[in-house]
Amino acid sequence: MSDAIERDASEPERPEPAPADADAWSTACAEDLAAEKARRRAQYGPPPGSAAEELRKLVDAVSDKLSGLQSPLLGAVAQGAVQETVQQVVRQAKAAVEPVIERNPDVFDHLAAAGAELLAAYRSAVTGQEARWTRDDTATGAPDGSDRRDEGPGPGEHIDLD
């Protein structure tokens, strides 16, 4: 008998170990990320699109709303003329906006980000100013111990936007 046959008969056969996945960590991370995205989609719905897609949706929604408006003050003849004018304006606006969105979709993402930054800066400035207006001036006190709030409007104050 050969050695292979004798070895098989004397020892139980062991399964060959599976080759180690070189990217096991990245595979596990990708699976976890996909599961988390699916969970969030199920909980919160689909994520918002790019700013260009959102602008396109806004234009469509406004145009649909304007097209459906009817004024009870206008007669049937005037209503038809007004509605046709509104539809023409909506078509012209869509014709003007669509090419801009198609050519420059990234611009709208940048504008949205810039708008968010401006809003954050404004909130910061307003919050700081409101805190100065509403704090107790008697605790910090004017040098003579008087309450400046009773004196009426004073000179303008510098608002630091940094």
Side-chain angles (χ1 to χ4, degrees), residues 14-102:
R14 294 182 188 155
E16 289 290 322
D21 186 9
D23 292 333
W25 180 256
S26 64
T27 303
C29 289
E31 290 171 356
D32 289 347
L33 181 61
E36 180 63 18
K37 284 182 179 180
R39 184 189 68 79
R40 287 181 183 240
R41 235 183 336 269
Q43 185 175 3
Y44 302 113
S50 69
E53 291 170 1
E54 294 298 316
L55 178 62
R56 196 174 283 125
K57 287 179 187 177
L58 175 66
V59 168
D60 289 341
V62 169
S63 66
D64 290 345
K65 192 68 170 177
L66 287 176
S67 296
L69 287 179
Q70 295 181 356
S71 176
L73 301 176
L74 300 173
V77 174
Q79 181 67 35
V82 168
Q83 189 142 3
E84 181 58 36
T85 303
V86 167
Q87 288 176 350
Q88 182 180 2
V89 169
V90 166
R91 284 191 302 268
Q92 289 174 345
K94 276 185 165 184
V97 169
E98 282 296 325
V100 174
I101 293 172
E102 290 297 322

Side-chain angles (χ1 to χ4, degrees), residues 68-154:
L69 287 179
Q70 295 181 356
S71 176
L73 301 176
L74 300 173
V77 174
Q79 181 67 35
V82 168
Q83 189 142 3
E84 181 58 36
T85 303
V86 167
Q87 288 176 350
Q88 182 180 2
V89 169
V90 166
R91 284 191 302 268
Q92 289 174 345
K94 276 185 165 184
V97 169
E98 282 296 325
V100 174
I101 293 172
E102 290 297 322
R103 282 192 308 260
N104 307 307
D106 293 340
V107 169
F108 294 100
D109 291 331
H110 292 297
L111 288 174
E117 291 294 324
L118 285 172
L119 181 61
Y122 177 76
R123 280 186 182 153
S124 175
V126 168
T127 302
Q129 187 61 35
E130 284 177 344
R132 286 189 290 273
W133 287 338
T134 58
R135 72 174 173 234
D136 187 16
D137 284 340
T138 58
T140 57
D144 60 355
S146 64
D147 189 1
R148 287 190 55 214
R149 290 180 289 182
D150 294 337
E151 296 175 8

